[in-house]
Amino acid sequence: MRNTDRPMAPHLQIWRWGPHMLVSILHRMTGVGLAVVGGIVFAWWLLAAASGEESYAWFAGLLTVESGRINIVGVVLGVGLTWAFFTHLFNGIRHFVLDTGAGYELQTNKRGAILVVAGAIVATAALWGWLQCDWIMGFLGGGA
């Protein structure tokens, strides 16, 4: 006879959340985000470039300001897509390691999941820091 107090299958309310669950969900979300948002922005960019100088200027004007610096829309799209890319990439590498049969020990799995999140943040910050290096140096008074 089945105990009716117990669920038939484990549910999210039963399991204690951990970093490995977070990166599993993030992997799906970033994959969909890159495909949908990245695909739309890429297709929009190609369409604007193919439609002529005026269309491309209008597209670029949505993402940058007159000085050529990136504006808030460009920051949200650029940094968001970059973070999604690095999160998806690092989690894909983590899954590749798991596919070899390594890394299933609880602490190793948690450590790998934390490295995915931290690595994506660090890589995104490093890339955008490098892209904006001349602006930062100019702002700090150290560059042209």
Side-chain angles (χ1 to χ4, degrees):
M1 178 147 249
R2 185 171 103 58
N3 182 352
T4 57
D5 293 334
R6 296 185 60 189
M8 291 182 67
H11 299 282
L12 289 177
Q13 300 92 335
I14 306 298
W15 297 106
R16 217 172 93 209
W17 274 83
H20 53 290
M21 293 174 81
L22 171 68
V23 295
S24 176
I25 292 168
L26 281 178
H27 191 66
R28 290 168 176 84
M29 289 173 54
T30 56
V32 170
L34 286 168
V36 174
V37 177
I40 288 171
V41 172
F42 183 64
W44 186 12
W45 172 71
L46 287 175
L47 189 62
S51 297
E53 198 172 315
E54 187 177 313
S55 294
Y56 189 78
W58 185 78
F59 171 80
L62 290 174
L63 303 177
T64 59
V65 293
E66 266 187 55
S67 69
R69 290 282 155 216
I70 198 165
N71 71 9
I72 191 68
V73 175
V75 168
V76 170
L77 279 174
V79 172
L81 286 171
T82 305
W83 171 81
F85 170 76
F86 282 124
T87 299
H88 200 74
L89 172 70
F90 294 155
N91 206 18
I93 293 169
R94 177 179 165 268
H95 274 280
F96 181 71
V97 170
L98 290 172
D99 286 345
T100 68
Y104 280 104
E105 299 79 24
L106 186 58
Q107 288 305 317
T108 305
N109 198 329
K110 284 183 179 182
R111 193 176 310 116
I114 291 168
L115 282 173
V116 165
V117 174
I121 292 169
V122 168
T124 300
L127 177 65
W128 280 91
W130 177 73
L131 290 173
Q132 299 298 317
C133 187
D134 62 333
W135 179 81
I136 292 169
M137 294 311 259
F139 180 76
L140 296 175

